[in-house]
Amino acid sequence: ETGVTQTPRHLVMGMTNKKSLKCEQHLGHNAMYWYKQSAKKPLELMFVYNFKEQTENNSVPSRFSPECPNSSHLFLHLHTLQPEDSALYLCASSQDGGQGGRPQHFGDGTRLSIL
Amino acid sequence: AQKVTQAQTEISVVEKEDVTLDCVYETRDTTYYLFWYKQPPSGELVFLIRRNSFDEQNEISGRYSWNFQKSTSSFNFTITASQVVDSAVYFCALSEPSQGAQKLVFGQGTRLTINP
């Protein structure tokens, strides 16, 4: 059983819909991440949260809106997405003390398809 | 800027063959960490190994071994006596120093197919 759980596993939505992706980690970690994985592209870091505070926004369009109510939960709110946003969205968590080096633990991802 | 290159997009071998996945990185930092992850068809990235920049000792874990060479900025991964269950996409990654949570820079990944 994975320590990082993502729901839903699959999501199909129209460009005008609003939906949210959810991530929950059961590992007691303080940092959480959103990544986008498209075909033929490396994994792209989207957002980083550390102790609920956003520390990184990697020039992500505003149609993606993250929310981190506590260190165990992370959401990605989606609104008026484009077909090129179809991808696998991966959530990860890690225990970081500011020195780096701790491995990130990933969820199974949400496969998003935009019609 | 930090960069990770996995030049092999796809590799296909027959079961029981040895296979090496290449990883070359670029960084200006003197302290950094390198990682390998495995992504099976289910989608989850599974952590395999971490190596810090001050430790160039090679590591072996069962059929897996890693060769870290700072002189050539490489961190290669070898699977000995490959098995069908090793089929997956493998990612090499480099940590980027950051205040608080670390950031990982991933290579493009190598899709490994082990044929029975």
Side-chain angles (χ1 to χ4, degrees), chain B residues 60-78:
Chain B
I60 298 174
S61 176
R63 297 183 296 105
Y64 294 173
S65 62
W66 291 268
N67 182 276
F68 176 32
Q69 292 197 350
K70 286 181 75 171
S71 60
T72 56
S73 297
S74 64
F75 186 42
N76 296 336
F77 173 30
T78 298

PDB file of all heavy atoms in Angstrom, chain B residues 60-78:
ATOM      1  N   ILE B  60      25.798  -1.852  -4.638  1.00  0.00           N
ATOM      2  CA  ILE B  60      25.144  -3.030  -5.198  1.00  0.00           C
ATOM      3  C   ILE B  60      24.002  -3.420  -4.277  1.00  0.00           C
ATOM      4  O   ILE B  60      24.147  -3.461  -3.056  1.00  0.00           O
ATOM      5  CB  ILE B  60      26.124  -4.206  -5.337  1.00  0.00           C
ATOM      6  CG1 ILE B  60      27.259  -3.844  -6.289  1.00  0.00           C
ATOM      7  CG2 ILE B  60      25.389  -5.463  -5.827  1.00  0.00           C
ATOM      8  CD1 ILE B  60      28.344  -4.912  -6.370  1.00  0.00           C
ATOM      9  N   SER B  61      22.849  -3.684  -4.893  1.00  0.00           N
ATOM     10  CA  SER B  61      21.706  -4.160  -4.131  1.00  0.00           C
ATOM     11  C   SER B  61      21.060  -5.277  -4.929  1.00  0.00           C
ATOM     12  O   SER B  61      20.297  -5.035  -5.868  1.00  0.00           O
ATOM     13  CB  SER B  61      20.708  -3.014  -3.896  1.00  0.00           C
ATOM     14  OG  SER B  61      19.550  -3.490  -3.247  1.00  0.00           O
ATOM     15  N   GLY B  62      21.395  -6.492  -4.584  1.00  0.00           N
ATOM     16  CA  GLY B  62      20.870  -7.634  -5.325  1.00  0.00           C
ATOM     17  C   GLY B  62      21.351  -7.610  -6.766  1.00  0.00           C
ATOM     18  O   GLY B  62      22.561  -7.599  -7.021  1.00  0.00           O
ATOM     19  N   ARG B  63      20.416  -7.564  -7.704  1.00  0.00           N
ATOM     20  CA  ARG B  63      20.788  -7.544  -9.121  1.00  0.00           C
ATOM     21  C   ARG B  63      21.062  -6.130  -9.628  1.00  0.00           C
ATOM     22  O   ARG B  63      21.434  -5.943 -10.782  1.00  0.00           O
ATOM     23  CB  ARG B  63      19.664  -8.170  -9.950  1.00  0.00           C
ATOM     24  CG  ARG B  63      19.405  -9.638  -9.637  1.00  0.00           C
ATOM     25  CD  ARG B  63      18.324 -10.242 -10.540  1.00  0.00           C
ATOM     26  NE  ARG B  63      17.012  -9.620 -10.340  1.00  0.00           N
ATOM     27  CZ  ARG B  63      16.461  -8.758 -11.179  1.00  0.00           C
ATOM     28  NH1 ARG B  63      17.091  -8.392 -12.291  1.00  0.00           N
ATOM     29  NH2 ARG B  63      15.268  -8.256 -10.924  1.00  0.00           N
ATOM     30  N   TYR B  64      20.834  -5.145  -8.779  1.00  0.00           N
ATOM     31  CA  TYR B  64      21.019  -3.749  -9.171  1.00  0.00           C
ATOM     32  C   TYR B  64      22.380  -3.250  -8.692  1.00  0.00           C
ATOM     33  O   TYR B  64      22.802  -3.550  -7.577  1.00  0.00           O
ATOM     34  CB  TYR B  64      19.939  -2.871  -8.530  1.00  0.00           C
ATOM     35  CG  TYR B  64      18.524  -3.114  -8.983  1.00  0.00           C
ATOM     36  CD1 TYR B  64      17.465  -2.461  -8.347  1.00  0.00           C
ATOM     37  CD2 TYR B  64      18.212  -3.962 -10.027  1.00  0.00           C
ATOM     38  CE1 TYR B  64      16.152  -2.642  -8.750  1.00  0.00           C
ATOM     39  CE2 TYR B  64      16.905  -4.166 -10.436  1.00  0.00           C
ATOM     40  CZ  TYR B  64      15.883  -3.503  -9.787  1.00  0.00           C
ATOM     41  OH  TYR B  64      14.582  -3.695 -10.181  1.00  0.00           O
ATOM     42  N   SER B  65      23.029  -2.439  -9.529  1.00  0.00           N
ATOM     43  CA  SER B  65      24.260  -1.783  -9.105  1.00  0.00           C
ATOM     44  C   SER B  65      24.328  -0.411  -9.753  1.00  0.00           C
ATOM     45  O   SER B  65      23.750  -0.173 -10.819  1.00  0.00           O
ATOM     46  CB  SER B  65      25.485  -2.623  -9.473  1.00  0.00           C
ATOM     47  OG  SER B  65      25.584  -2.782 -10.872  1.00  0.00           O
ATOM     48  N   TRP B  66      25.030   0.477  -9.057  1.00  0.00           N
ATOM     49  CA  TRP B  66      25.127   1.851  -9.524  1.00  0.00           C
ATOM     50  C   TRP B  66      26.584   2.278  -9.539  1.00  0.00           C
ATOM     51  O   TRP B  66      27.333   1.993  -8.608  1.00  0.00           O
ATOM     52  CB  TRP B  66      24.328   2.785  -8.607  1.00  0.00           C
ATOM     53  CG  TRP B  66      22.849   2.580  -8.727  1.00  0.00           C
ATOM     54  CD1 TRP B  66      21.993   3.228  -9.558  1.00  0.00           C
ATOM     55  CD2 TRP B  66      22.059   1.661  -7.983  1.00  0.00           C
ATOM     56  NE1 TRP B  66      20.720   2.770  -9.379  1.00  0.00           N
ATOM     57  CE2 TRP B  66      20.725   1.804  -8.419  1.00  0.00           C
ATOM     58  CE3 TRP B  66      22.330   0.715  -6.991  1.00  0.00           C
ATOM     59  CZ2 TRP B  66      19.674   1.048  -7.903  1.00  0.00           C
ATOM     60  CZ3 TRP B  66      21.289  -0.035  -6.463  1.00  0.00           C
ATOM     61  CH2 TRP B  66      19.977   0.135  -6.921  1.00  0.00           C
ATOM     62  N   ASN B  67      26.971   2.984 -10.587  1.00  0.00           N
ATOM     63  CA  ASN B  67      28.333   3.471 -10.750  1.00  0.00           C
ATOM     64  C   ASN B  67      28.306   4.985 -10.846  1.00  0.00           C
ATOM     65  O   ASN B  67      27.804   5.555 -11.814  1.00  0.00           O
ATOM     66  CB  ASN B  67      28.953   2.863 -12.025  1.00  0.00           C
ATOM     67  CG  ASN B  67      30.381   3.305 -12.225  1.00  0.00           C
ATOM     68  OD1 ASN B  67      30.642   4.358 -12.771  1.00  0.00           O
ATOM     69  ND2 ASN B  67      31.301   2.488 -11.768  1.00  0.00           N
ATOM     70  N   PHE B  68      28.842   5.650  -9.811  1.00  0.00           N
ATOM     71  CA  PHE B  68      28.847   7.104  -9.734  1.00  0.00           C
ATOM     72  C   PHE B  68      30.258   7.586 -10.009  1.00  0.00           C
ATOM     73  O   PHE B  68      31.187   7.215  -9.281  1.00  0.00           O
ATOM     74  CB  PHE B  68      28.378   7.550  -8.345  1.00  0.00           C
ATOM     75  CG  PHE B  68      28.436   9.031  -8.098  1.00  0.00           C
ATOM     76  CD1 PHE B  68      28.243   9.948  -9.124  1.00  0.00           C
ATOM     77  CD2 PHE B  68      28.666   9.519  -6.812  1.00  0.00           C
ATOM     78  CE1 PHE B  68      28.281  11.305  -8.875  1.00  0.00           C
ATOM     79  CE2 PHE B  68      28.704  10.875  -6.561  1.00  0.00           C
ATOM     80  CZ  PHE B  68      28.512  11.767  -7.593  1.00  0.00           C
ATOM     81  N   GLN B  69      30.436   8.418 -11.035  1.00  0.00           N
ATOM     82  CA  GLN B  69      31.756   8.956 -11.365  1.00  0.00           C
ATOM     83  C   GLN B  69      31.639  10.467 -11.530  1.00  0.00           C
ATOM     84  O   GLN B  69      31.108  10.952 -12.536  1.00  0.00           O
ATOM     85  CB  GLN B  69      32.281   8.310 -12.642  1.00  0.00           C
ATOM     86  CG  GLN B  69      32.600   6.832 -12.481  1.00  0.00           C
ATOM     87  CD  GLN B  69      33.495   6.304 -13.591  1.00  0.00           C
ATOM     88  OE1 GLN B  69      33.735   6.979 -14.575  1.00  0.00           O
ATOM     89  NE2 GLN B  69      33.995   5.087 -13.430  1.00  0.00           N
ATOM     90  N   LYS B  70      32.153  11.198 -10.563  1.00  0.00           N
ATOM     91  CA  LYS B  70      32.105  12.662 -10.626  1.00  0.00           C
ATOM     92  C   LYS B  70      32.942  13.194 -11.773  1.00  0.00           C
ATOM     93  O   LYS B  70      32.623  14.221 -12.369  1.00  0.00           O
ATOM     94  CB  LYS B  70      32.585  13.261  -9.306  1.00  0.00           C
ATOM     95  CG  LYS B  70      31.581  13.129  -8.185  1.00  0.00           C
ATOM     96  CD  LYS B  70      32.083  13.750  -6.907  1.00  0.00           C
ATOM     97  CE  LYS B  70      32.015  15.251  -6.945  1.00  0.00           C
ATOM     98  NZ  LYS B  70      32.293  15.837  -5.626  1.00  0.00           N
ATOM     99  N   SER B  71      34.024  12.506 -12.110  1.00  0.00           N
ATOM    100  CA  SER B  71      34.919  12.993 -13.166  1.00  0.00           C
ATOM    101  C   SER B  71      34.213  13.092 -14.511  1.00  0.00           C
ATOM    102  O   SER B  71      34.560  13.942 -15.347  1.00  0.00           O
ATOM    103  CB  SER B  71      36.137  12.078 -13.282  1.00  0.00           C
ATOM    104  OG  SER B  71      35.734  10.760 -13.600  1.00  0.00           O
ATOM    105  N   THR B  72      33.235  12.226 -14.710  1.00  0.00           N
ATOM    106  CA  THR B  72      32.485  12.254 -15.975  1.00  0.00           C
ATOM    107  C   THR B  72      31.040  12.678 -15.761  1.00  0.00           C
ATOM    108  O   THR B  72      30.231  12.624 -16.686  1.00  0.00           O
ATOM    109  CB  THR B  72      32.507  10.861 -16.638  1.00  0.00           C
ATOM    110  OG1 THR B  72      31.977   9.897 -15.704  1.00  0.00           O
ATOM    111  CG2 THR B  72      33.917  10.471 -17.044  1.00  0.00           C
ATOM    112  N   SER B  73      30.717  13.096 -14.527  1.00  0.00           N
ATOM    113  CA  SER B  73      29.344  13.522 -14.196  1.00  0.00           C
ATOM    114  C   SER B  73      28.330  12.471 -14.621  1.00  0.00           C
ATOM    115  O   SER B  73      27.327  12.775 -15.299  1.00  0.00           O
ATOM    116  CB  SER B  73      29.013  14.866 -14.862  1.00  0.00           C
ATOM    117  OG  SER B  73      29.849  15.878 -14.372  1.00  0.00           O
ATOM    118  N   SER B  74      28.599  11.245 -14.251  1.00  0.00           N
ATOM    119  CA  SER B  74      27.700  10.167 -14.645  1.00  0.00           C
ATOM    120  C   SER B  74      27.264   9.351 -13.433  1.00  0.00           C
ATOM    121  O   SER B  74      28.009   9.227 -12.446  1.00  0.00           O
ATOM    122  CB  SER B  74      28.356   9.258 -15.680  1.00  0.00           C
ATOM    123  OG  SER B  74      29.478   8.603 -15.112  1.00  0.00           O
ATOM    124  N   PHE B  75      26.091   8.808 -13.520  1.00  0.00           N
ATOM    125  CA  PHE B  75      25.529   7.973 -12.450  1.00  0.00           C
ATOM    126  C   PHE B  75      24.740   6.869 -13.130  1.00  0.00           C
ATOM    127  O   PHE B  75      23.519   6.921 -13.255  1.00  0.00           O
ATOM    128  CB  PHE B  75      24.648   8.824 -11.536  1.00  0.00           C
ATOM    129  CG  PHE B  75      24.132   8.108 -10.313  1.00  0.00           C
ATOM    130  CD1 PHE B  75      24.951   7.271  -9.570  1.00  0.00           C
ATOM    131  CD2 PHE B  75      22.819   8.289  -9.893  1.00  0.00           C
ATOM    132  CE1 PHE B  75      24.474   6.624  -8.439  1.00  0.00           C
ATOM    133  CE2 PHE B  75      22.332   7.643  -8.755  1.00  0.00           C
ATOM    134  CZ  PHE B  75      23.158   6.817  -8.035  1.00  0.00           C
ATOM    135  N   ASN B  76      25.451   5.830 -13.575  1.00  0.00           N
ATOM    136  CA  ASN B  76      24.852   4.780 -14.384  1.00  0.00           C
ATOM    137  C   ASN B  76      24.297   3.646 -13.534  1.00  0.00           C
ATOM    138  O   ASN B  76      24.792   3.365 -12.443  1.00  0.00           O
ATOM    139  CB  ASN B  76      25.869   4.232 -15.382  1.00  0.00           C
ATOM    140  CG  ASN B  76      26.311   5.289 -16.383  1.00  0.00           C
ATOM    141  OD1 ASN B  76      25.604   6.258 -16.634  1.00  0.00           O
ATOM    142  ND2 ASN B  76      27.502   5.106 -16.933  1.00  0.00           N
ATOM    143  N   PHE B  77      23.305   2.991 -14.070  1.00  0.00           N
ATOM    144  CA  PHE B  77      22.550   1.966 -13.350  1.00  0.00           C
ATOM    145  C   PHE B  77      22.591   0.676 -14.162  1.00  0.00           C
ATOM    146  O   PHE B  77      22.249   0.689 -15.345  1.00  0.00           O
ATOM    147  CB  PHE B  77      21.108   2.477 -13.185  1.00  0.00           C
ATOM    148  CG  PHE B  77      20.117   1.508 -12.623  1.00  0.00           C
ATOM    149  CD1 PHE B  77      20.476   0.510 -11.739  1.00  0.00           C
ATOM    150  CD2 PHE B  77      18.770   1.615 -12.978  1.00  0.00           C
ATOM    151  CE1 PHE B  77      19.541  -0.368 -11.213  1.00  0.00           C
ATOM    152  CE2 PHE B  77      17.824   0.743 -12.455  1.00  0.00           C
ATOM    153  CZ  PHE B  77      18.211  -0.249 -11.574  1.00  0.00           C
ATOM    154  N   THR B  78      23.030  -0.400 -13.533  1.00  0.00           N
ATOM    155  CA  THR B  78      23.135  -1.693 -14.210  1.00  0.00           C
ATOM    156  C   THR B  78      22.229  -2.719 -13.548  1.00  0.00           C
ATOM    157  O   THR B  78      22.219  -2.841 -12.320  1.00  0.00           O
ATOM    158  CB  THR B  78      24.581  -2.204 -14.212  1.00  0.00           C
ATOM    159  OG1 THR B  78      25.402  -1.289 -14.941  1.00  0.00           O
ATOM    160  CG2 THR B  78      24.669  -3.583 -14.866  1.00  0.00           C
TER     161      THR B  78
END
